């Protein structure tokens, strides 16, 4: 039975009580503890900076050439906080409730409440660091409403909130690096987790510049390595994002929770060819003025302008008359997929729907539309090469966030003692669906205000141990890493790494993407092992393990996706209900909405490695709601 | 479309490099420049060659990782974009395209088109932050900041640290990068207590890393994917000068 | 003093030295031009002005030494900056470098500066020391003063001297037009609100200095001033 270590007492007082109950480390002793932080995004950078400010010795690792490039930087919209600056009735409780409900009642209540509580500290901290949030003329912070929330609680810095928050955390980290309190390892990728006596005590890394493999031991390991959206090959993630760190931990015994919970964003620029390497998201705000449609007839290849009004299907307005084009992310995404599956999709490959601004331009004038969305229209033109003032935009859904992740308890520690997991890499706060502007909030909450307290309790309650890097456990792990790298290079087959990534990604997207069915998942579960087997026989990785070798880096990541994809499909198959981003076609209301099965699936599915990839062990953490009542989402 | 590509190949940091010519076939106009290189690399791999190493990550123009000089221009010359946002439709079918890494002593080439930009991190470490620890920050609205100031700080803070400014400058000066950080933090009241020491420290650090001086040619701002204005350099110069006159040291 | 010395230790500090000395030299060029324009009034005015300048040796040598110091600072700093800029560029250059929107004037500051230096030396040897045409410099006017007017007229009746003069003024124009914009930037006084004003000022200054300075030799060569 999984122990989530949720403190007793009323929900609103749990975190306070818990902070008092946590054992502290004497300030003079903190410098004796060494912490490894893998990842330098919002969660990793904020945690590394804060832990070192407290006195811990920190080593921080990232695969990019600078910690400032982590993919948190690409978040556009904003960050939520229950500040109630707009006096519109927001509160910690309302943010908590919206997050739980948005997550379709599949998140852990106590964690979410704590997230809402510390959200206000995050804004204070970021402003003190010099994050240039949008301001009103009076000099106070501006807010907007986001992601269907009924209150304005989203703080933003133009369309680059993630960038500005990350730079704040990066600068805090830089300050600590300058002091010598954090040792930074850029262009360094974690390839293995090392356990000593069952505790996480170090990692094996590859220096991506020299190719050198090295060992790093510590008193605790923190993974802040982001999500696994690139399992789908095409996603809005950076091309380097990967599951390797968390998946290596899984194979060392860490539980992977809810891997099937992935989020699809409806307004991305569609795929335009076989060689596309990533998808680009455009702000959802476009749906405020654009009307979504496809031709009524399948296979209608006339240009949009030649399709008369009567032969267009404004399918969101038709299916969801009250929300229309503003229906929630998962619902609009699925509706777009359905019409494309019917052969009514538009653009090359038929994977796209129109987002048409002609009515809005007629109504408000082109200048008004330009003022609202000028930068987005420009971005669209750069990528798609079309002028959206004249022809409708084409959009299609794409994967952009993964709610699943390594299982952690209330202290953000995984089931492996000493292994902490923060940010998108853990599973804890978003349930089956994440609300807009909540990812940044969670990453910074974990890094600035939660982990720095809870990690001390681990140190204070266990015997201090930072094993020697020469110990047997490290040697063994290093040998495994070297063997794997050599194996990848020695195969010397006839297919490129990218071709395997594309093939398995496409399969997972088709069968475990926006809509999932038993038959489809079973098909995927048959085919993934075959692709994996071919990979290990026929992949061609050129070059040497020494020095920069981008192909080898990619190969290692794809090898893990090839195993992890199977786990995602297994989880999706086992979760025989629909909830949030997980939509099983067998379980829908007559209107096509996700139909939960709270009696059987109100739990976290935490998977453990059994040695057999096809049969991982399933452990369940029941979700007990003390203060909220579950309800059915409805956006009719 | 097809292209003749003249690409800089260099096997390691201490090795000497050279250009190699490749023919890229079956390129679609919709591909981004980096996707074109992905395709080329797959073709090279299958034919038994060594693929070209280049840096890229987000591929949407915000992480600052991609760093190619295309036909002599950092990021390829499309206004306000990184090279990952450049598409092949901007090129003429059959054109010869020269692809080189950033060139500057402070950005040594590591392999092929990959350069080491850690000098930028060290510049930020020398003073590109506000010295505030986590916790104890006052309420965010306790310090009103005028909209103009916030906007000006944002314009400078939009820098993605890609290094195109250095690559474009005939002196390999990092003044646009450094000026952007100083303008971001020194414009905001939170940054005022360290305003002068920040400017002085950053200038000293830039020199130490081996970047050149600004001779105001404006090439940096012309290639900057975030269109950071030259004003930020002026601001850095001013804060530095006042700092030195006040006797502030690094 | 310690603080001022700090300016010489960093690239930005050296640019400030360039800016301050450049501004002073710009001022000198303007004053020098205004003084010389008196040639159009007549022999007596110009010779009287020249005599006045030389009448106080203390001021004269003070000014000369001051100018020499400023010029030396400007040149030494420029050489030091150019050397470090060249080092910063590294050994390999681009295959087909682009100018990325920079102006010609901004790229040839060192070259134009060196030509101006050569010109100043010639100019001094010609009209101040008087070793190029000793007979021109020996002329005396009615009052027995050094006949500067006569010397200038005689000198600029020689075509190649005028040619050298005009070419040097073109490069001085380039140097000053970019120099003025750049010095505002180096002093931290330029921003996008004023930059177009500063650019226009630099252009007007360039045209005025070029036209004024060339007017004298060209008028003489054409026989308008005798």
């Amino acid at each position: 039975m999984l122990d989530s270590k949720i403190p007793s007492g009323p929900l609103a007082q749990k975190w306070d009580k818990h902070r008092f109950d946590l054992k502290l480390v004497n300030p003079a002793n903190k410098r004796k503890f060494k912490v490894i932080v893998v990842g330098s995004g919002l969660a990793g950078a904020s945690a590394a900076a804060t832990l070192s400010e407290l006195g811990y010795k920190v080593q921080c690792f990232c695969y990019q050439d600078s910690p400032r490039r982590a993919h948190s930087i690409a978040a556009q919209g904003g960050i939520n906080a229950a500040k109630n600056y707009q006096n519109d009735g927001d509160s910690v409780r309302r943010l908590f409730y919206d997050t739980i409900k948005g997550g379709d009642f599949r998140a852990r209540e106590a964690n979410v409440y704590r997230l809402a509580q510390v959200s206000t500290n995050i804004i204070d901290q970021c402003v003190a660091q010099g994050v240039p949030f949008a301001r009103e003329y009076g000099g106070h912070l501006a807010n907007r409403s986001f992601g269907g929330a009924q209150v304005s609680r989203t703080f933003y810095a133009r369309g680059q909130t993630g960038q500005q928050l990350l730079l704040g955390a990066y600068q805090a980290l830089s300050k600590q690096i300058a002091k010598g309190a954090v040792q930074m390892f850029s262009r360094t990728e974690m390839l293995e987790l090392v356990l000593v006596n069952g505790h996480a005590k170090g990692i094996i890394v590859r220096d991506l510049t020299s190719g050198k493999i090295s060992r790093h031991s510590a008193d605790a390991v923190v993974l802040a390595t982001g999500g696994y959206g690139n399992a789908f090959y095409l996603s809005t993630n950076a091309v380097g994002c990967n599951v390797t760190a968390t998946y290596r931990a899984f194979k060392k015994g860490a539980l992977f929770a809810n891997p099937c919970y992935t989020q699809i964003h409806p307004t991305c620029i569609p795929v335009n060819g076989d060689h596309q390497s990533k998808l680009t998201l455009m702000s959802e705000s476009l749906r405020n003025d654009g009307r979504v449609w496809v031709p009524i007839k399948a296979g209608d290849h006339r240009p949009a302008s030649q399709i008369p009004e009567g032969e267009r299907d404004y399918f969101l307005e038709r299916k969801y008359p009250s929300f229309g084009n503003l229906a929630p992310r998962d619902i609009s995404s699925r509706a777009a997929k359905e019409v494309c599956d019917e052969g009514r999709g538009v653009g090359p490959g038929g994977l796209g729907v129109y987002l048409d601004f002609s009515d809005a331009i007629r109504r408000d004038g082109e200048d008004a539309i330009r003022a609202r969305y000028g930068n987005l229209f420009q971005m669209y033109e750069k990528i798609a090469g079309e002028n959206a003032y004249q022809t409708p935009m084409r959009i299609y859904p794409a994967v952009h966030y993964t709610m699943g992740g390594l299982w952690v308890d209330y202290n953000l520690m995984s089931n492996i003692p000493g292994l902490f997991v923060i940010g998108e890499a853990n599973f804890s706060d978003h349930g089956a669906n994440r609300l807009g502007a909540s990812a940044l909030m969670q990453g910074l909450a974990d890094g600035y205000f939660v982990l720095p307290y809870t990690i001390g309790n681990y140190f204070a309650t266990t015997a201090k141990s930072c094993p020697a890097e020469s110990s047997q456990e490290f040697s063994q792990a290093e040998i495994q890493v070297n063997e794997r790298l050599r194996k990848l290079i020695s195969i010397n087959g006839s297919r490129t790494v990218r071709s395997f990534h594309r093939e398995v990604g496409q399969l997972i997207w088709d069968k475990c993407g926006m809509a999932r069915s038993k038959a489809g998942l079973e098909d995927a579960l048959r085919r993934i092992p075959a692709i994996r087997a071919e990979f290990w026989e026929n992949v061609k990785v050129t070059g040497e393990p020494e020095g920069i070798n981008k192909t080898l880096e990619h190969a290692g990541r794809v090898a893990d996706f090839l195993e992890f994809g199977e786990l995602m499909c297994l989880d999706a198959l086992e979760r025989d209900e629909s909830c949030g981003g997980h939509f099983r076609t067998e379980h829908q209301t007559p209107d096509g909405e996700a139909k939960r099965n709270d009696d059987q699936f109100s739990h976290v599915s935490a998977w453990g490695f059994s040695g057999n990839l096809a049969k991982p062990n399933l452990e369940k953490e029941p979700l007990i709601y003390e203060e909220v009542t579950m309800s059915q989402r409805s956006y009719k | 479309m097809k292209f003749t590509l003249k690409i800089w190949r260099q096997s390691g940091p201490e090795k000497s490099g050279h250009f190699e010519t490749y023919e890229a076939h079956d390129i679609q106009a919709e591909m981004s420049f980096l996707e074109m290189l992905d395709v080329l690399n797959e073709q090279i791999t299958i034919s038994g060659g060594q693929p070209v190493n280049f840096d890229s990550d987000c591929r949407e123009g915000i992480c600052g990782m991609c760093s190619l000089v295309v036909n002599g221009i950092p990021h390829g010359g499309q206004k306000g974009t990184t090279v990952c946002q450049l598409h092949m439709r901007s090129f003429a079918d059959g054109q010869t395209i020269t692809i080189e890494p950033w060139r500057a002593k402070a950005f040594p080439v590591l392999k092929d088109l990959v350069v080491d930009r850690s000098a930028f991190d060290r510049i930020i470490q020398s003073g590109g932050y506000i010295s505030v620890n986590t916790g104890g920050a006052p309420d965010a609205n306790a310090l009103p900041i005028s909209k103009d100031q916030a906007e000006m700080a944002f314009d400078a803070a939009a820098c993605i640290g890609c290094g195109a400014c250095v690559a474009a400058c005939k002196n390999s000066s990092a003044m646009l990068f450094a000026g952007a950080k100083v303008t971001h933090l020194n414009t905001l009241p939170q940054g005022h207590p360290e305003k002068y020491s920040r400017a002085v420290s950053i200038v000293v650090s830039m020199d130490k890393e081996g970047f050149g001086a600004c001779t105001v040619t404006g090439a940096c701002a012309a290639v900057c994917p975030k269109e950071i204005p030259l004003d930020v350099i002026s601001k850095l110069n001013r804060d530095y000068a006042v700092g030195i006159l006040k006797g502030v040291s690094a | 003093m310690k603080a001022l010395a700090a300016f010489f230790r960093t690239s930005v500090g050296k640019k400030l030295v360039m800016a301050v000395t450049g501004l002073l030299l710009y001022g000198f060029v303007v004053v020098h031009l205004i003084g010389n324009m008196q040639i159009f009034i007549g022999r007596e005015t110009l010779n009287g002005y020249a005599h006045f300048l030389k009448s106080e040796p203390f001021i004269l040598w003070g000014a000369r030494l001051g100018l020499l110091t400023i010029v030396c600072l400007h040149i030494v700093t420029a050489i030091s900056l150019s050397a470090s800029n060249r080092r910063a560029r590294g050994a390999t250059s681009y295959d087909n470098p682009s100018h990325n929107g920079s102006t010609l004037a901004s790229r040839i500051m060192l070259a134009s500066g060196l030509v101006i230096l050569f010109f100043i030396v010639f100019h001094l040897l010609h009209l101040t020391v008087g070793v190029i045409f000793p007979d021109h410099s020996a002329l005396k006017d009615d009052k027995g003063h050094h006949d500067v007017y006569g010397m200038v007229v005689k000198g600029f009746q020689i075509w190649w001297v005028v040619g050298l003069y005009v070419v040097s003024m073109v490069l001085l124009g380039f140097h000053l037009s970019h120099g003025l914009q750049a010095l505002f930037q180096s002093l931290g006084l330029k921003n996008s609100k004023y930059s177009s004003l500063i650019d226009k000022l630099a252009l007007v200054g360039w045209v005025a200095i070029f036209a004024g300075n060339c007017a004298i030799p060209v008028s003489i060569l054409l026989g308008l001033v005798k």
Side-chain angles (χ1 to χ4, degrees):
Chain A
M1 186 69 178
L2 286 167
D3 180 5
S4 54
K5 303 208 173 67
I6 297 171
S8 58
L11 187 60
Q13 279 141 45
K14 281 185 196 294
W15 178 230
D16 246 9
K17 173 178 179 296
H18 190 63
R19 277 192 297 178
F20 179 74
D21 292 341
L22 287 171
K23 298 276 179 296
L24 297 174
V25 180
N26 178 322
N29 283 339
K30 281 187 179 143
R31 72 176 75 97
K32 294 179 191 153
F33 289 92
K34 192 170 138 195
V35 184
I36 282 173
V37 178
V38 187
S40 66
L42 286 179
S46 59
T50 306
L51 289 170
S52 77
E53 285 163 10
L54 291 173
Y56 297 112
K57 273 197 294 188
V58 177
Q59 286 187 331
C60 183
F61 298 81
C62 70
Y63 74 79
Q64 297 90 343
D65 74 331
S66 162
R68 67 179 292 153
R69 309 209 196 281
H71 198 57
S72 306
I73 204 156
Q76 300 172 0
I79 176 166
N80 287 332
K83 279 286 197 186
N84 193 28
Y85 280 161
Q86 306 307 322
N87 197 30
D88 55 2
D90 198 13
S91 62
V92 166
R93 195 173 177 88
R94 189 175 295 279
L95 175 55
F96 152 74
Y97 183 75
D98 286 353
T99 309
I100 284 277
K101 181 182 172 214
D104 220 358
F105 302 95
R106 289 293 176 266
R108 193 190 280 152
E109 202 182 49
N111 285 52
V112 178
Y113 196 88
R114 174 178 65 189
L115 175 66
Q117 280 177 309
V118 302
S119 67
T120 58
N121 304 70
I122 297 172
I123 303 302
D124 298 343
Q125 183 62 31
C126 293
V127 166
Q129 287 171 342
V131 171
F133 283 121
R135 302 252 164 191
E136 305 290 357
Y137 282 103
H140 289 118
L141 290 156
N143 290 117
R144 60 184 170 202
S145 90
F146 199 81
Q150 287 166 303
V151 291
S152 284
R153 62 159 80 96
T154 304
F155 294 79
Y156 61 99
R158 292 196 201 151
Q160 283 141 264
T161 318
Q163 180 199 25
Q164 295 309 318
L165 293 173
L166 182 64
L167 291 180
Y170 161 71
Q171 285 163 203
L173 178 62
S174 296
K175 161 177 72 86
Q176 295 304 105
I177 295 171
K179 281 183 183 154
V182 176
Q183 210 184 346
M184 184 71 216
F185 297 84
S186 297
R187 286 198 197 272
T188 307
E189 183 169 25
M190 168 185 161
L191 294 180
E192 199 54 271
L193 177 72
V194 182
L195 305 191
V196 177
N197 299 327
H199 287 240
K201 290 295 172 189
I203 58 175
I204 306 291
V205 300
R206 178 167 180 267
D207 177 330
L208 301 181
T209 308
S210 67
K212 202 173 154 291
I213 305 296
S214 59
R215 312 167 181 185
H216 295 267
S217 73
D219 292 277
V221 176
V222 179
L223 297 185
T225 51
Y228 47 84
N230 277 350
F232 295 92
Y233 182 59
L234 285 181
S235 76
T236 66
N237 281 4
V239 292
C241 292
N242 64 80
V243 74
T244 293
T246 44
Y247 192 71
R248 294 284 113 200
F250 165 77
K251 289 192 91 172
K252 284 287 166 87
L255 297 174
F256 213 110
N258 304 331
C260 77
Y261 289 167
T262 54
Q263 190 175 60
I264 314 280
H265 196 287
T267 52
C268 296
I269 301 176
V271 183
N272 54 34
D274 295 344
H275 302 294
Q276 192 147 355
S277 58
K278 82 152 275 157
L279 297 171
T280 305
L281 183 148
M282 288 187 298
S283 170
E284 257 181 300
S285 60
L286 287 170
R287 293 200 282 147
N288 289 324
D289 281 303
R291 296 180 69 196
V292 178
W293 65 274
V294 289
I296 288 183
K297 266 203 325 273
D300 187 344
H301 294 305
R302 288 175 292 175
S305 58
Q306 287 170 27
I307 301 178
E309 201 60 33
E311 295 176 40
R312 299 177 176 190
D313 177 14
Y314 293 90
F315 57 92
L316 285 179
E317 296 172 19
R318 176 171 55 81
K319 288 184 176 169
Y320 308 98
S322 65
F323 268 75
N325 296 298
L326 290 171
R329 286 178 178 182
D330 49 345
I331 290 172
S332 345
S333 300
R334 276 197 302 276
K337 179 184 169 10
E338 274 166 31
V339 296
C340 292
D341 289 349
E342 290 161 19
R344 299 195 285 144
V346 298
L351 288 177
V353 299
Y354 286 126
L355 181 63
D356 197 335
F357 290 85
S358 52
D359 284 347
I361 290 173
R362 257 197 302 279
R363 185 182 66 228
D364 302 338
E366 193 174 314
D367 289 342
I369 297 300
R370 183 170 283 114
R372 266 171 242 169
Y373 311 111
N375 59 338
L376 295 166
F377 276 54
Q378 224 174 6
M379 180 166 94
Y380 181 79
E381 185 164 7
K382 265 179 207 162
I383 295 172
E386 289 172 358
N387 181 342
Y389 296 103
Q390 285 156 15
T391 56
M393 278 186 184
R394 286 174 296 112
I395 56 166
Y396 200 64
V399 176
H400 87 128
Y401 190 86
T402 55
M403 283 76 68
L406 289 181
W407 183 88
V408 290
D409 63 16
Y410 189 73
N411 293 319
L412 304 182
M413 188 163 85
S414 71
N415 59 312
I416 298 178
L419 179 69
F420 291 80
V421 191
I422 58 178
E424 191 180 347
N426 75 23
F427 87 104
S428 70
D429 294 354
H430 305 298
N433 179 46
R434 180 179 62 76
L435 284 188
S438 283
L440 304 181
M441 171 173 71
Q442 186 224 338
L444 290 179
D446 288 359
Y448 283 134
F449 298 110
V450 180
L451 177 80
Y453 295 98
T454 58
I455 203 170
N457 187 59
Y458 168 72
F459 293 140
T461 54
T462 45
K464 172 156 175 31
S465 130
C466 177
E469 284 163 6
S470 55
S471 71
Q472 196 211 343
E473 289 85 351
F474 278 90
S475 317
Q476 256 174 3
E478 187 181 319
I479 289 168
Q480 280 168 7
V481 165
N482 274 319
E483 270 176 6
R484 195 170 132 100
L485 292 173
R486 262 195 295 276
K487 173 102 193 281
L488 283 168
I489 286 184
S490 68
I491 299 166
N492 198 22
S494 62
R495 275 184 68 183
T496 61
V497 176
R498 191 172 293 277
S499 75
F500 282 103
H501 194 179
R502 204 182 288 129
E503 183 184 355
V504 76
Q506 185 68 49
L507 177 62
I508 297 173
W509 172 244
D510 287 342
K511 308 295 180 189
C512 193
M514 276 182 278
R516 297 136 183 206
S517 68
K518 183 164 185 283
L521 291 165
E522 284 171 347
D523 184 31
L525 286 169
R526 268 190 305 276
R527 284 158 63 188
I528 293 173
I531 301 173
R532 186 167 65 227
E534 194 197 341
F535 175 89
W536 285 105
E537 275 164 17
N538 196 22
V539 74
K540 187 174 178 100
V541 181
T542 52
E544 309 293 325
E546 291 80 30
I548 293 179
N549 188 339
K550 300 262 179 190
T551 318
L552 179 61
E553 293 167 27
H554 191 196
R557 294 166 192 166
V558 172
D560 286 329
F561 280 133
L562 282 165
E563 296 186 7
F564 177 74
E566 190 172 355
L567 186 68
M568 276 174 78
C569 294
L570 277 168
D571 184 44
L573 182 63
E574 195 276 337
R575 186 165 285 277
D576 197 11
E577 64 158 352
S578 294
C579 58
H582 171 65
F583 187 79
R584 284 284 297 268
T585 52
E586 302 93 335
H587 303 285
Q588 45 184 316
T589 64
D591 317 318
E593 309 269 356
K595 198 168 146 198
R596 289 198 319 265
N597 179 347
D598 292 336
D599 293 339
Q600 277 183 286
F601 290 98
S602 183
H603 62 247
V604 175
S605 304
W607 300 88
F609 182 57
S610 66
N612 178 356
L613 292 174
K615 291 201 166 49
N617 302 322
L618 175 61
E619 295 195 45
K620 294 178 184 173
E621 178 201 333
L623 290 168
I624 297 151
Y625 290 97
E626 296 173 5
E627 303 231 357
V628 299
T629 351
M630 294 191 187
S631 63
Q632 184 75 41
R633 294 195 310 167
S634 173
Y635 293 95
K636 272 285 173 186
Chain B
M1 297 176 102
K2 61 175 197 284
F3 298 97
T4 302
L5 305 173
K6 211 176 133 191
I7 303 178
W8 183 261
R9 302 302 308 261
Q10 182 173 334
S11 57
E14 306 300 327
K15 307 285 168 48
S16 64
H18 62 279
F19 280 103
E20 248 172 65
T21 305
Y22 299 89
E23 300 297 327
H25 301 285
D26 305 324
I27 303 300
Q28 293 148 19
E30 294 77 32
M31 285 181 187
S32 75
F33 197 83
L34 300 186
E35 284 161 6
M36 184 273 292
L37 288 180
D38 289 340
V39 171
L40 175 77
N41 274 343
E42 292 209 279
Q43 290 169 357
I44 294 176
T45 305
I46 293 302
S47 61
Q50 294 296 326
V52 181
N53 289 281
F54 63 92
D55 269 332
S56 85
D57 204 24
C58 79
R59 298 210 177 183
E60 53 183 287
I62 193 73
C63 77
M65 188 111 170
C66 61
S67 46
L68 303 179
V69 174
V70 179
N71 290 335
I73 309 175
H75 291 309
Q78 181 176 282
K79 196 171 149 47
T81 42
T82 55
V83 71
C84 66
Q85 295 173 295
L86 185 65
H87 285 73
M88 296 318 290
R89 67 177 87 88
S90 319
F91 296 86
D93 196 4
Q95 197 181 336
T96 298
I97 305 173
T98 309
I99 308 170
E100 296 165 89
W102 283 176
R103 297 269 183 223
K105 189 135 182 291
F107 288 165
V109 173
L110 296 174
K111 190 171 188 178
D112 297 341
L113 304 168
V114 179
V115 299
D116 177 359
R117 285 171 288 193
S118 53
F120 269 12
D121 286 327
R122 290 188 292 273
I123 289 176
I124 298 299
Q125 286 156 23
S126 73
Y129 49 78
I130 289 171
S131 295
V132 53
N133 282 359
T134 306
D139 184 85
N141 260 350
L143 183 68
I145 298 171
S146 79
K147 196 176 166 77
D148 285 351
Q149 259 179 328
E151 296 283 313
M152 195 195 294
F154 184 94
D155 285 339
C159 170
I160 57 174
C162 64
C165 45
V166 174
C169 176
K170 73 180 180 69
N171 308 325
S172 300
S173 171
M175 285 293 277
L176 196 71
F177 169 78
K181 189 42 66 197
V182 166
T183 303
H184 163 206
L185 297 176
N186 286 9
T187 303
L188 295 171
Q190 302 93 304
H192 276 192
E194 297 166 290
K195 183 175 173 182
Y196 299 114
S197 63
R198 176 176 301 120
V200 173
S201 303
I202 281 186
V203 166
V204 168
S205 161
M206 249 186 328
D207 285 358
K208 199 170 128 204
E209 295 295 340
F211 293 102
C214 172
T215 50
V216 203
T217 69
C220 53
V223 301
C224 175
K226 295 297 150 189
E227 305 184 70
I228 309 269
L230 287 176
D231 297 16
V232 302
I233 299 181
S234 190
K235 169 87 174 145
L236 170 56
N237 286 331
R238 184 165 66 242
D239 290 350
Y240 173 81
V242 176
I244 291 292
L245 291 173
K246 284 178 178 259
V248 173
S249 58
Chain C
M1 209 47 222
K2 213 173 146 192
L4 286 179
F7 281 122
F8 291 93
R9 280 200 294 269
T10 65
S11 57
V12 175
K14 286 177 189 166
K15 286 297 292 181
L16 278 156
V17 172
M18 292 299 288
V20 172
T21 53
L23 184 62
L24 292 169
L25 291 170
Y26 199 105
F28 170 75
V29 169
V30 172
V31 172
H32 184 64
L33 171 64
I34 293 168
N36 290 351
M37 290 310 271
Q38 295 177 65
I39 196 167
F40 292 111
I41 303 175
R43 185 185 302 263
E44 224 166 283
T45 316
L46 185 69
N47 286 0
Y49 170 63
H51 183 70
F52 159 76
L53 287 183
K54 290 189 174 172
S55 58
E56 285 288 346
F58 190 69
I59 295 175
L60 175 71
W61 283 99
R64 282 178 172 173
L65 283 175
L67 269 174
L68 187 67
T69 314
I70 291 168
V71 169
C72 287
L73 273 178
H74 197 75
I75 294 173
V76 169
T77 315
I79 290 170
S80 146
L81 278 169
S82 293
S84 59
N85 288 348
R86 195 150 297 186
R87 273 199 303 279
R89 191 68 265 186
T92 323
S93 50
Y94 292 119
D95 188 49
N96 52 350
S98 155
H99 299 310
N100 299 312
S102 60
T103 61
L104 177 67
S106 72
R107 294 194 304 271
I108 59 164
M109 286 302 271
L110 183 66
S112 59
L114 288 172
V115 171
I116 294 163
L117 175 64
F118 169 76
F119 169 74
I120 292 171
V121 173
F122 176 83
H123 191 62
L124 290 174
L125 292 177
H126 175 199
L127 298 171
T128 307
V129 186
V131 295
I132 302 217
F133 306 110
D135 50 328
H136 298 180
S137 305
L139 295 172
K140 300 278 178 202
D141 67 6
D142 305 344
K143 291 179 186 160
H145 293 149
H146 174 34
D147 183 8
V148 173
Y149 186 92
M151 172 181 71
V152 170
V153 170
K154 272 196 168 309
F156 288 142
Q157 281 166 348
I158 303 162
W159 66 269
W160 64 266
V161 175
V162 177
L164 179 73
Y165 205 92
V166 172
V167 168
S168 304
M169 284 313 111
V170 171
L171 285 158
L172 179 68
F174 272 118
H175 200 80
L176 294 188
S177 73
H178 179 71
L180 192 72
Q181 299 174 42
L183 75 87
F184 276 99
Q185 177 84 348
S186 298
L187 292 170
L189 300 174
K190 196 173 177 182
N191 65 39
S192 41
K193 282 193 197 104
Y194 309 113
S195 69
S196 71
L197 183 72
I198 291 170
D199 293 353
K200 276 181 202 134
L201 196 70
L203 187 70
V204 169
W206 174 27
V207 171
I209 289 168
F210 177 76
N213 274 331
C214 288
I216 301 170
V218 170
S219 317
I220 294 170
L221 190 68
L222 295 177
L224 300 175
V225 175
K226 287 178 194 149

